[in-house]
RNA sequence: GCGAGAGUGGCGGAAUUGGUAGACGCACUGGACUUAGGAUCCAGCUCUGGCGACAGAGUGGGAGUUCAAGUCUCCCCUCUCGCACCA
């Protein structure tokens, strides 16, 4: 064993050794229990960043730990390879997205290998490969068959100059992020997945995911957003039997509905105002609303406004004539797009009614109170007793909810129903770099699926990307022009939209089970063995979309009998962000690390020399210029220190704050272990570790032996139960400290064997965390075979047994003294010792003892 | 506004079922070894008072339950995240 720890040579050595022996390759082994560990695969953006390093280190530790516990561990890695950055980079570099993507993949793969992650690289996949998206297209056709994929016209953010659809994130204050021109809402035909069919099932199973963080569960529940209420129809006056259907959760207040509000996009808005004097104003309002940025609008500053359509409807319960408005606070996407407005009991309706001088009718009176419409300054939204509600007067409103719903159903005026916030998943992207949607538009036959045998529909490689990100596919005749599979007509066109990249990431975990399978999406036997994923790890930013889509997709596969389970991920860990303080110069804004220089302990801007300001600790991001490149860490300290730091600085679910000193500390610890091992290696390399009962050991030896077993127990519990690697590491640090403090006579019997056991245990416990480092020492100890094939150590109960226990003595709950007592000391003995303790006597001298509480093996509390 | 999580030394963070608050690490201080050390080893390190033994206070604030509260209950404050005119 070298005297000095040299991370570079040993990391190189072991990475090559693992690869040569193909140690991470796994196959189905029916006789072994499987464990599928998955980290969210990266988008191949070009470089691995600290967030990746943290995510994958956490996963790697668990994978290596589970392997040592005897599981057959599947731990794959791949690339979420379709997406916009590739297109943008290709436009900027005048190259092709595929070139850019594959270069990035090569680069990032090499980086990941340098960190020593234990992936089965034989299973690597990239979602932009035709062998992958072919099966996605196949499932799309199946979903069309089942009616789960469909086409409808819907509103999108559209930029005219750029001729493209923008994602919500690309609309900044109503303007296009690229050209700065106004974005408008445009109606386009788009493909959707009917995720709303599964809303109830997705919601119900939220409570059957005990291995998921509470936070993610509630986020999913809120996103699905179930409301129980009623649908009520309001006949349009003079509308020849037509009516307006509304959704409400407060059907008890229906007698108080005094006007109606329709979303500006509601189809009735145009027809109701048509030919009336209000028509022009209504059209102008609708037009103005369509230009409003619907995502970035600040609610607080958003004023409720609307215009009267000139039409009226009838309140079916109160018989009142209600004016019909179109208003900006009515949302087409929710419920039916129409709101029965009850100003007395809904704040929005109240604001609107006050503004436009509309009637207010109180129908729920609060307990013992006397609400009158005239005196109201705000809506009363609480519970109470029904008034002004015909035969329902006097009923508690909670009861009236049920009674009115029944009444409406009996009279055929409405029905009880539920509404969800969740909307169908729009998967069309007017983009090039994605999986083509396998459909054909024929002028005579309509929209026709591509025959299965023609899959995959390849994304043409010879496309030239266009300025502004506009998709070249519609203009690429070789791709777009085709013959109709039904009538054979040659005037058919391919669908030129591609699929949302979230579709690819909704089933990649199944593909990993049999990545080369060409008879379907996956080999059923492989999926039956490996799936579901036992532990999934990734950033909380995917708490809703990716995870919800994957749960939906899995249900679709389940309904088609392709898989046997409904939930793809049994346990989920969402790791926190990697953060660092920002530093900025009053003149030059955020500063890069190399633009900061210390002068008299104060950071200065090296561009202008002014004092720089150290700002908040924030997520590492290029725009904040507080990014640390993992490559620098790998060069300066090596992979093991980098891994150790990521795990030691914070528990995984919490944010991790970058600290130079923290990395140093980790490096120092490894060196400390190394030096100890190197110093005692000659003594211990040829002896077998002491693993017998502790009886024949004494004094220091027994103490160290016990400490070793305690450490094994603590580390195992910390990793197994809760992934608290930080405390696992600190437990090993304590053991190492104990080794340094160890002071048994040089000739004590069994000395070397006990030390060997301690050192070897520490190495084994650390091996999932710092695998190269521990391999090297493991080898030096004379062990044959890789440490990662060694079994995880287990503790002996008899070694943990204590001879004496420290008993705490409290007086009135305050600790006043401590003493050692035999393990089996009974209450009476403890009581006597406590009461005769000299320090305790000081506190009870002039008082009378009221009560003495004795807690076995722990403490005595004396109440005076 | 609704929902979730968090608040512990100078800092990152520890504290099974309520039972020694501050493990471990960083920073800092002192000592040892050294030509030297920013290496290493040993020791100290919540605050206040005291040379000290020790005493008092202390887990965002305030009440409560209890022999005993960082931990349980209620109210309040602050921060972070998510959703947000959801009818």
């Amino acid at each position: 064993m070298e005297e000095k720890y040299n991370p570079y040579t040993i990391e190189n050595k072991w990475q090559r050794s693992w690869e040569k022996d193909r140690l991470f390759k796994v196959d189905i082994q029916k006789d072994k229990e499987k464990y599928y560990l998955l980290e969210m695969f990266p988008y191949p953006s070009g470089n691995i960043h600290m967030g990746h390093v943290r995510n994958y280190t956490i996963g790697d530790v668990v994978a290596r730990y589970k392997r040592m516990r005897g599981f057959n561990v599947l731990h794959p890695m791949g690339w979420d390879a379709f997406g916009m950055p590739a297109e943008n980079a290709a436009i900027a570099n005048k190259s092709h997205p595929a070139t850019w993507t594959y270069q990035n993949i090569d680069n990032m793969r090499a980086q990941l290998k340098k960190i020593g992650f234990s992936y089965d690289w034989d299973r690597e996949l990239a979602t932009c490969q035709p062998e992958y998206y072919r099966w996605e297209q196949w499932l799309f056709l199946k979903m069309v068959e089942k009616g789960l994929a469909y086409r409808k016209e819907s509103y999108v953010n559209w930029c005219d100059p750029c001729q493209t659809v923008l994602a919500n994130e690309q609309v900044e204050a109503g303007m296009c992020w690229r050209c700065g021109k106004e974005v408008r809402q445009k109606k386009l035909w788009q493909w959707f997945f009917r995720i709303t069919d599964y809303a109830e099932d997705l919601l119900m199973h939220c409570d059957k995911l005990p291995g998921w963080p509470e936070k993610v569960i509630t986020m999913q529940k809120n996103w699905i957003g179930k409301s129980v209420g009623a649908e009520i129809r309001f006949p349009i006056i003079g509308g020849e039997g037509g009516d307006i259907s509304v959704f409400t959760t407060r059907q008890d207040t229906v007698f108080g509905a005094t006007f109606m509000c329709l979303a500006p996009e509601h189809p009735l808005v145009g027809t109701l105002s048509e030919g009336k004097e209000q028509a022009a104003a209504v059209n102008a309002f609708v037009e103005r609303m369509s230009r409003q940025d619907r995502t970035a609008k600040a609610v607080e500053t958003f004023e409720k406004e609307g215009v009267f359509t000139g039409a009226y409807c009838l309140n079916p319960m109160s018989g009142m004539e209600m004016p019909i408005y179109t208003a900006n606070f009515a949302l087409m996407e929710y419920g039916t797009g129409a709101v029965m407005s009850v100003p007395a009991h809904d704040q929005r309706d109240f604001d609107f009614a006050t503004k436009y001088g509309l009637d207010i009718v109180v129908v729920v009176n609060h307990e013992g109170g006397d609400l009158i419409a005239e005196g109201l300054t705000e809506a009363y939204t609480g519970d109470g007793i029904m008034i002004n509600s015909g035969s329902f007067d006097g009923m508690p409103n909670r009861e009236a909810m049920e009674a009115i719903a029944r009444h409406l159903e009996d009279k055929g005026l409405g029905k009880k129903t539920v509404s969800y916030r969740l909307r169908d998943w729009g998967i069309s992207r007017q983009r090039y770099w994605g999986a083509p949607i396998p459909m054909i538009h024929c002028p005579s036959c309509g929209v026709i699926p591509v025959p299965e045998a023609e899959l995959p529909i390849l994304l043409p490689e010879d496309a030239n990307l266009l300025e502004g990100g506009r998709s070249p596919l519609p203009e690429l005749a070789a791709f777009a022009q085709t013959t109709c599979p039904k009538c054979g007509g040659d005037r058919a066109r391919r669908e030129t939209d591609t699929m949302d990249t979230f579709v690819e990431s909704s089933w990649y975990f199944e593909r990993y089970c049999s990545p080369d399978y060409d008879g379907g999406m996956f080999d059923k036997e492989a999926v039956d063995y490996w799936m579901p994923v036992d532990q999934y790890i990734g950033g909380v930013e995917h708490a809703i979309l990716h995870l919800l889509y994957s749960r939906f997709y899995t249900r679709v596969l389940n309904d088609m009998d392709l898989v046997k389970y409904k939930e793809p991920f049994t346990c989920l860990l969402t790791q926190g962000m990697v953060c660092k303080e920002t530093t900025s110069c009053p003149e030059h804004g955020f500063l890069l690390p190399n633009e900061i220089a210390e002068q008299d302990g104060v950071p200065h801007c090296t561009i202008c020399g002014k004092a720089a300001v150290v700002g908040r600790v924030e997520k590492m991001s290029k725009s904040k210029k507080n990014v640390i490149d993992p490559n620098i860490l790998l060069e300066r300290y090596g992979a093991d220190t980098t891994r150790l730091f990521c795990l030691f600085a914070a528990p995984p679910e919490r944010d991790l704050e970058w600290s130079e000193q923290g990395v140093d500390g980790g490096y120092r610890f490894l060196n400390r272990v190394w030096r100890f091992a190197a110093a005692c290696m000659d003594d211990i390399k040829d002896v077998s570790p002491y693993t017998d009962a502790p009886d024949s050991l004494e004094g220091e030896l027994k103490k160290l032996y016990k400490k070793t077993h305690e450490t094994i127990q603590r580390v195992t519990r910390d990793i197994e139960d809760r992934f608290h690697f930080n405390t696992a590491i600190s437990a090993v640090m304590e053991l190492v400290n104990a080794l340094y403090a160890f002071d048994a006579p040089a000739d004590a019997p069994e000395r070397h064997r006990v030390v060997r056991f301690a050192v070897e245990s520490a190495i084994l416990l650390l091996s999932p965390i710092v695998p190269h480092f521990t391999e090297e020492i493991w080898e030096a100890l004379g062990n044959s075979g890789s440490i990662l094939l060694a079994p995880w150590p287990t503790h002996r109960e008899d070694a943990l047994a204590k001879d004496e226990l420290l008993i705490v003595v409290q007086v009135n709950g305050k600790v006043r003294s401590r003493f050692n007592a035999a393990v089996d000391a009974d209450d009476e003995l403890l009581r006597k010792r406590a009461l005769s303790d000299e320090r305790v006597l000081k506190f009870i001298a002039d008082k009378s003892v009221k009560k003495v509480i004795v807690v076995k093996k722990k403490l005595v509390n004396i109440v005076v």
Side-chain angles (χ1 to χ4, degrees):
Chain A
M1 188 176 169
E2 298 280 328
E3 206 171 305
K4 207 166 166 289
Y5 167 46
N6 184 341
Y8 321 101
T9 48
I10 67 175
E11 283 172 14
N12 235 305
K13 169 182 163 185
W14 290 105
Q15 280 165 18
R16 261 184 289 171
S17 162
W18 296 333
E19 195 153 343
K20 192 183 110 249
D21 297 339
R22 303 170 73 74
L23 281 179
F24 309 123
K25 188 171 164 49
V26 278
D27 287 302
I28 296 176
Q29 274 182 270
K30 289 265 161 70
D31 56 324
K32 244 174 141 182
E33 201 177 335
K34 68 95 181 180
Y35 189 85
Y36 188 172
L37 184 117
L38 183 68
E39 299 122 42
M40 291 180 185
F41 65 166
Y43 177 77
S45 57
N47 284 295
I48 294 293
H49 55 67
M50 282 307 291
H52 293 127
V53 174
R54 187 178 191 203
N55 188 173
Y56 302 149
T57 299
I58 292 167
D60 198 50
V61 173
V62 179
R64 287 172 180 270
Y65 167 76
K66 287 288 178 181
R67 250 179 233 122
M68 292 175 81
R69 294 303 301 247
F71 288 87
N72 191 27
V73 177
L74 175 57
H75 188 212
M77 179 44 70
W79 313 95
D80 189 11
F82 274 136
M84 289 218 325
E87 285 183 60
N88 297 337
I91 294 164
N93 309 331
K94 305 227 184 309
S95 71
H96 194 273
T99 318
W100 184 85
T101 302
Y102 283 113
Q103 264 171 14
N104 286 347
I105 288 177
D106 287 344
N107 187 30
M108 291 169 79
R109 186 195 302 109
Q111 282 183 290
L112 292 180
K113 286 191 174 178
K114 270 172 84 178
I115 311 174
F117 294 132
S118 61
Y119 299 124
D120 178 358
W121 283 106
D122 289 351
R123 292 174 186 263
E124 179 182 358
L125 59 81
T127 56
C128 62
Q129 294 161 331
E131 308 83 71
Y132 185 85
Y133 66 71
R134 166 186 186 172
W135 297 109
E136 190 167 301
Q137 293 174 333
W138 176 85
L139 189 75
F140 183 91
L141 295 178
K142 295 283 168 214
M143 289 173 75
V144 170
E145 237 171 68
K146 299 240 172 200
L148 287 170
Y150 67 96
R151 211 165 154 258
K152 79 170 179 199
E153 219 178 359
S154 91
Y155 286 94
V156 292
N157 302 309
W158 182 263
C159 174
D160 282 312
C162 298
Q163 279 291 297
T164 190
V165 169
L166 298 173
N168 287 342
E169 296 76 23
Q170 295 164 341
V171 182
E172 293 166 354
M175 305 296 171
C176 171
W177 69 313
R178 185 182 286 278
C179 69
K181 297 277 164 20
E182 196 169 74
V183 171
R184 66 189 177 91
Q185 299 294 305
K186 185 181 174 181
K187 244 185 173 178
L188 271 189
W189 283 91
Q190 307 246 87
W191 288 96
F192 286 85
F193 283 163
R194 218 177 278 284
I195 191 172
T196 50
D197 272 14
Y198 291 86
E200 188 60 41
D201 197 54
L202 287 165
L203 182 70
M204 218 175 64
H205 278 82
C206 279
D207 295 322
K208 295 180 188 163
L209 292 168
W212 282 41
E214 193 62 40
K215 177 182 176 171
V216 175
I217 299 276
T218 28
M219 277 165 77
Q220 293 228 341
K221 281 185 185 169
N222 291 345
W223 188 262
I224 296 168
K226 179 180 180 176
S227 311
V228 181
E231 204 171 303
I232 308 176
R233 282 192 298 281
F234 289 70
I236 298 165
I237 293 170
E240 292 153 13
D243 52 35
I244 298 173
S245 182
V246 306
F247 172 75
T248 180
T249 54
R250 289 296 305 271
Q251 61 270 22
D252 54 320
T253 64
V254 63
F255 283 88
T258 54
F259 59 101
M260 175 71 69
C261 286
L262 302 179
E265 305 88 352
H266 197 286
L268 282 175
V269 171
T271 46
L272 287 175
S273 59
E274 204 172 354
K276 301 208 167 74
E277 55 177 302
Q278 288 86 356
V282 168
N283 288 339
F285 179 78
V286 170
E287 170 66 15
R288 188 157 58 82
M289 288 303 124
S290 82
R291 292 193 173 276
Q292 229 158 26
D293 173 14
R294 307 195 63 78
T295 52
K297 64 188 171 195
V299 170
E300 304 82 46
T301 59
F302 204 76
E303 194 172 339
K304 286 162 195 58
E305 56 175 326
V307 290
F308 179 42
T309 60
Y312 292 84
C313 63
L314 187 74
N315 185 322
M317 299 299 281
S318 69
M320 179 184 177
E321 278 193 13
M322 301 160 59
I324 304 170
Y325 279 72
T326 174
N328 61 349
F329 70 89
L331 305 173
M332 197 57 216
E333 310 88 70
Y334 187 77
T336 62
V339 182
M340 68 166 209
S341 288
V342 187
H345 305 292
D346 181 285
Q347 192 56 40
R348 289 157 307 181
D349 298 343
F350 181 85
D351 294 344
F352 196 85
T354 315
K355 179 167 178 175
Y356 293 103
L358 298 161
D359 292 343
I360 299 175
V361 177
V362 173
V363 292
V364 178
N365 204 357
H366 59 65
E367 205 83 30
D370 199 7
L371 283 182
I372 37 167
E374 288 72 32
L376 279 186
T377 53
E378 58 175 11
Y380 174 68
T381 54
D383 289 333
I385 303 298
M386 305 295 295
I387 51 167
N388 298 327
S389 298
S391 58
F392 300 95
D393 281 359
M395 203 182 262
N397 74 309
R398 292 273 148 198
E399 276 174 41
M401 255 179 204
E402 195 52 37
I404 290 179
R406 252 199 324 270
H407 178 86
L408 288 165
E409 258 172 56
D410 291 347
K411 300 276 172 189
L413 297 167
K415 58 171 197 277
K416 274 165 81 173
T417 184
V418 287
S419 186
Y420 299 91
R421 212 188 72 98
L422 184 70
R423 282 177 270 156
D424 275 343
W425 174 14
I427 58 138
S428 290
R429 294 292 178 271
Q430 291 68 35
R431 280 281 166 176
Y432 166 73
W433 191 233
I437 293 174
M439 299 296 288
I440 289 169
H441 302 265
C442 170
S444 17
C445 310
V447 187
I448 307 291
V450 168
E452 227 177 278
E454 286 177 29
L455 296 182
I457 299 304
L458 291 173
L459 185 65
E461 282 174 26
D462 53 356
N464 288 318
L465 290 194
L466 306 171
E467 211 33 66
R470 184 158 57 97
S471 172
L473 293 177
E475 288 154 49
L476 199 67
F479 177 78
Q481 286 179 9
T482 187
T483 51
C484 171
K486 197 170 172 193
C487 69
D490 58 3
R491 291 180 53 228
R493 280 182 63 82
R494 278 192 196 288
E495 172 64 66
T496 53
D497 282 354
T498 53
M499 284 192 246
D500 183 359
T501 55
F502 278 105
V503 183
E504 279 97 62
S505 55
S506 292
W507 68 287
Y508 74 107
F509 35 88
E510 269 120 4
R511 186 68 187 172
Y512 278 141
C513 298
S514 52
D516 302 317
Y517 188 65
D518 61 3
M521 294 176 80
F522 41 76
D523 178 11
K524 207 164 183 316
E525 194 200 346
V527 160
D528 284 349
Y529 176 77
W530 290 113
M531 284 294 290
V533 171
D534 294 277
Q535 180 67 54
Y536 197 29
I537 307 176
V540 74
E541 66 271 22
H542 296 107
I544 298 174
L545 296 182
H546 163 57
L547 291 169
L548 193 64
Y549 292 152
S550 297
R551 294 182 63 214
F552 158 68
Y553 216 75
T554 304
R555 279 165 170 73
V556 173
L557 295 173
N558 179 273
D559 279 355
M560 293 181 186
D561 275 331
L562 293 168
V563 303
K564 293 177 174 164
Y565 48 88
K566 273 187 168 184
E567 293 292 346
F569 315 120
T570 308
C571 295
L572 173 72
L573 175 72
T574 50
Q575 99 268 2
M577 298 180 296
V578 181
C579 302
K580 187 180 175 295
E581 69 195 11
T582 54
T583 308
S584 53
C585 163
E587 199 157 322
H588 297 95
F590 290 115
L591 298 176
L592 288 165
N594 61 12
E595 291 166 345
I596 306 162
E598 291 261 319
Q599 279 175 27
D600 309 321
V602 183
H604 278 72
C605 170
T606 54
I607 310 167
C608 62
K610 284 190 182 134
V613 182
V614 177
R616 313 202 320 162
V617 174
E618 294 191 73
K619 182 183 178 176
M620 285 188 179
S621 78
K622 275 187 187 157
S623 61
K624 302 256 166 63
K625 298 194 180 176
N626 61 345
V627 178
I628 293 292
D629 180 0
N631 281 329
I632 295 174
L633 287 186
L634 294 176
E635 278 166 29
R636 204 174 292 168
Y637 299 95
D640 285 328
T641 299
T642 306
R643 296 167 60 116
L644 183 67
F645 167 71
C646 284
L647 297 166
F648 184 58
E653 65 275 11
R654 225 184 280 189
D655 285 352
L656 180 148
E657 190 187 334
W658 162 260
S659 147
E660 179 88 41
Q661 288 97 342
V663 187
D664 270 333
Y667 189 63
R668 212 176 300 165
F669 169 65
L670 291 183
N671 274 292
R672 193 169 148 85
V673 177
W674 185 276
R675 275 193 309 273
F676 189 89
C680 68
M681 193 52 76
D682 285 344
D683 291 338
I684 64 172
K685 71 169 180 243
D686 296 320
V687 303
S688 61
Y690 185 95
T691 54
D692 301 337
D695 313 354
S696 51
L697 302 176
E698 278 181 0
E700 282 280 297
L701 283 174
K702 193 169 187 179
K703 225 170 91 187
L704 179 63
Y705 192 58
K706 181 170 158 229
K707 182 75 184 173
T708 308
H709 282 285
E710 275 171 3
T711 308
I712 293 170
Q713 187 188 34
R714 275 176 64 188
V715 171
T716 306
R717 210 174 42 202
D718 282 347
I719 295 183
E720 181 77 42
D721 297 353
R722 40 178 217 170
F723 299 149
H724 275 204
F725 311 108
N726 56 332
T727 50
I729 293 166
S730 68
V732 181
M733 285 175 166
E734 281 187 54
L735 176 59
V736 173
N737 289 345
L739 278 167
Y740 270 86
F742 178 64
D743 188 26
D747 59 350
E750 306 288 14
R751 182 193 157 117
H752 294 328
R753 294 185 63 207
V754 171
V755 171
R756 176 171 179 131
F757 177 65
V759 171
E760 197 163 290
S761 298
I763 293 306
L764 282 163
L765 296 174
L766 285 174
S767 72
I769 296 166
V770 285
H772 318 83
F773 176 89
T774 46
E775 280 279 27
E776 188 70 18
I777 298 179
W778 180 253
E779 187 187 55
L781 281 165
N783 290 297
S784 58
S786 167
I787 193 170
L788 54 95
L789 299 173
W792 186 255
T794 48
H795 71 272
R796 287 183 71 112
E797 281 302 330
D798 60 3
L800 298 178
K802 290 171 179 158
D803 305 333
E804 292 199 311
L805 287 171
L806 186 68
I807 303 295
V808 171
V809 188
Q810 299 178 328
V811 178
N812 286 344
K814 281 191 177 138
V815 179
R816 294 302 181 186
S817 183
R818 308 174 167 91
F819 63 83
N820 283 311
V823 176
D824 51 1
D826 62 12
D827 287 9
E828 193 47 40
L829 186 84
L830 295 177
R831 184 192 155 99
K832 270 190 189 145
R833 287 242 355 226
L835 284 170
S836 58
D837 190 285
E838 146 187 8
R839 294 195 226 225
V840 171
L841 286 172
K842 257 176 30 188
F843 288 92
I844 57 176
D846 53 342
K847 302 175 184 98
S848 66
V849 175
K850 273 196 197 149
K851 200 172 170 187
V852 179
I853 288 123
V854 180
V855 182
K856 264 200 182 52
K857 297 180 183 185
K858 262 184 191 149
L859 92 166
V860 180
N861 189 11
I862 301 162
V863 187
V864 297

